Amino acid sequence: MPNQNSTQMTRRAFLAVGLMLFALFFGAGNLIFPAALGQRAGTNVWWAITGFVLTGVGLPLAGVLAMGYSGCRNVQELAGRVHPLFGILFTLALYLSIGPAFAIPRTGTVSFEIAVRPFLSPDAGYWAQIIFLIIFFLVTLWLSINPQKLVGRIGGVLTPILLTTIVILIVKSLITPIGTPGAPTSAYGSPTVALLQGFIDGYNTLDALASFVFGILVIEFVTQHGATTRREVIGATMRAGMIAIGCLGLVYIFIAELGAASVEKLGILDTGAPVLAGSARLLFGEPGALILAVIVLLACLTTSIGLVTACASYFHAQFGGLSYKGYAMTFVIVSFAVGTFGLKTIISAAIPVLMFLYPLAIVLIALAFLDSRFGSRRSVYAWTVGLTLISALISGLEAANISLGAFGRFYGAHVPLHAVGLDWIFFAVAGFLIGFLDRRKAWATSAQ
């Protein structure tokens, strides 16, 4: 009888951790970007959402599993396989991006734009946003102070409410569809183009970057619930991760389909925020705005809590100086300050950084899984990431509208996949082959 209870406890633990991971990933960008993608992809929405799911679902799961497979204690240790200095710089850039620079402020501004602004008078603007952000980040701080209760608060309480409200919207949209998809825009004009554009669109979620951080949280939780060996940790992380990505994938497909169907009555809108608000009203009337407000607030709040917790834990462990609570308070204050610039500014500023960081993150994930194949040799890490870094830097500069002159024109005309934003693949493969050949040469030398 005790063993049976223990098994039930383990299953409940897996479910709680899986739902917690879903809630941590499912935040501001996961709501607005699939809706905008659906509108623009039109009849090619299935191709576009397939690409989006690869980066918005597949990569986050791969990132979480890579941390477990690598045996590294944190992302800095993994990135440090390239070089210790790269490990520090990449980790700092990652934490700042998913923390106070972009992701945490975005949770507050998206919450205001979708969940609060529709209920305000047209002349309510800047100060209403300031007041809301103060309240939002105070709640975030309160729930982040005790990270040991994160699974119970998010996985066991907030996530079921979030999923319930999403299911209500899904069922209603299936019973009474609001329209049919229209013609795709030029960016999604063919199935292949839509697939590649959807892949790039998935960068906006920031989830592949966050997966390095959330992976550590999941590994800690599954270890606390009985996983001891490396194989058990990877297996438990996989089971929890499958729960999370299953929920994520279904929600992404639903939101994209909803966006595609909304064009007939709403037209193509600037961002995904009014798409969601308009669709909710079409499905439920004015109460639809309230249902949407619940979804947005819960999704953004859970992500904000997870990111503040992760960032504060890392900086406290790495740099000291302040207590965990001190760092949590600092990040909340900075996030509030950035949030006052508004959602549009935050999204625009993030794009160049994402075009720079995402290729590096994807390459690190791949190298973590391939590590045993090349004997953990640093030359493979250095060459692969080093050449990818060149392409990523060029993509980031171009996304920031910084002219590269004649070099930029030559690069764009001759480098494979540049036109679709995937030129980093060519550099990564070339770097891996060079690093691998360097390794084989070392073997031959030692054999002689």
Side-chain angles (χ1 to χ4, degrees):
M1 196 66 169
N3 291 336
Q4 184 179 359
N5 291 337
S6 177
T7 302
Q8 291 175 349
M9 287 285 289
T10 302
R11 288 173 179 170
R12 286 198 295 270
F14 277 126
L15 181 61
V17 174
L19 291 178
M20 176 207 70
L21 186 59
F22 163 75
L24 292 177
F25 278 131
F26 190 71
N30 312 76
L31 286 162
I32 61 177
F33 293 119
L37 173 147
Q39 281 213 319
R40 288 160 176 74
T43 53
N44 286 331
V45 65
W46 281 101
W47 291 97
I49 197 60
T50 298
F52 189 92
V53 165
L54 287 174
T55 43
V57 175
L59 281 181
L61 176 62
V64 170
L65 294 178
M67 291 307 301
Y69 188 82
S70 69
C72 294
R73 294 167 297 176
N74 50 52
V75 63
Q76 182 173 322
E77 185 177 336
L78 175 60
R81 292 177 175 179
V82 178
H83 188 277
L85 180 59
F86 176 81
I88 294 173
L89 295 178
F90 177 81
T91 305
L92 285 174
L94 183 147
Y95 270 98
L96 291 175
S97 296
I98 67 171
F102 303 120
I104 298 177
R106 194 172 69 180
T107 60
T109 54
V110 167
S111 296
F112 176 77
E113 293 294 335
I114 301 180
V116 177
R117 188 182 289 277
F119 299 96
L120 303 176
S121 61
D123 57 343
Y126 181 75
W127 287 108
Q129 177 176 269
I130 295 298
I131 294 171
F132 172 80
L133 289 176
I134 290 173
I135 297 172
F136 181 89
F137 285 117
L138 282 176
V139 174
T140 294
L141 180 62
W142 174 60
L143 292 173
S144 302
I145 289 299
N146 236 320
Q148 292 80 8
K149 298 180 179 179
L150 196 62
V151 172
R153 286 171 171 167
I154 295 180
V157 180
L158 296 181
T159 308
I161 299 174
L162 170 61
L163 284 173
T164 299
T165 54
I166 292 175
V167 167
I168 291 173
L169 276 178
I170 292 176
V171 172
K172 178 61 175 176
S173 68
L174 293 175
I175 296 174
T176 57
I178 61 177
T180 57
T185 60
S186 58
Y188 304 86
S190 70
T192 301
V193 171
L195 177 69
L196 294 175
Q197 184 60 49
F199 186 91
I200 298 297
D201 288 343
Y203 288 7
N204 290 313
T205 65
L206 289 165
D207 283 348
L209 302 182
S211 67
F212 291 108
V213 177
F214 293 159
I216 297 300
L217 290 175
V218 173
I219 291 168
E220 289 177 356
F221 290 136
V222 299
T223 301
Q224 292 171 7
H225 284 92
T228 55
T229 67
R230 182 177 176 183
R231 184 172 182 176
E232 289 175 343
V233 169
I234 295 173
T237 302
M238 169 67 85
R239 290 175 62 184
M242 291 301 293
I243 295 172
I245 69 162
C247 295
L248 276 176
L250 289 174
V251 171
Y252 285 157
I253 292 170
F254 156 68
I255 293 179
E257 278 286 305
L258 190 63
S262 70
V263 175
E264 187 175 322
K265 294 185 178 179
L266 299 178
I268 296 181
L269 303 174
D270 291 336
T271 68
V275 175
L276 290 172
S279 299
R281 281 191 167 85
L282 289 172
L283 288 170
F284 292 99
E286 287 304 317
L290 182 59
I291 295 175
L292 183 64
V294 173
I295 294 175
V296 170
L297 283 172
L298 290 176
C300 292
L301 183 61
T302 52
T303 299
S304 179
I305 295 166
L307 292 175
V308 169
T309 299
C311 291
S313 297
Y314 169 75
F315 276 81
H316 173 60
Q318 183 65 30
F319 302 107
L322 297 176
S323 64
Y324 166 82
K325 293 181 181 180
Y327 276 112
M329 185 174 298
T330 299
F331 287 129
V332 164
I333 293 172
V334 174
S335 298
F336 163 77
V338 175
T340 61
F341 288 94
L343 177 61
K344 184 177 180 180
T345 300
I346 295 172
I347 291 176
S348 299
I351 292 174
V353 178
L354 297 181
M355 294 301 293
F356 172 71
L357 286 179
Y358 247 81
L360 300 175
I362 296 172
V363 166
L364 280 176
I365 291 172
L367 290 174
F369 286 115
L370 295 172
D371 183 85
S372 61
R373 301 294 182 182
F374 56 85
S376 304
R377 190 170 178 82
R378 174 161 286 177
S379 62
V380 178
Y381 280 95
W383 274 106
T384 307
V385 173
L387 291 189
T388 304
L389 184 64
I390 297 172
S391 174
L393 181 60
I394 293 172
S395 297
L397 292 173
E398 289 182 341
N401 295 319
I402 297 175
S403 175
L404 300 178
F407 171 77
R409 291 189 292 272
F410 176 84
Y411 183 91
H414 294 89
V415 175
L417 302 177
H418 176 69
V420 292
L422 297 175
D423 43 300
W424 61 266
I425 296 176
F426 170 76
F427 283 81
V429 172
F432 183 85
L433 292 176
I434 294 173
F436 189 78
L437 290 174
D438 185 28
R439 165 182 176 268
R440 295 296 292 267
K441 180 179 178 181
W443 278 1
T445 302
S446 62
Q448 291 174 354

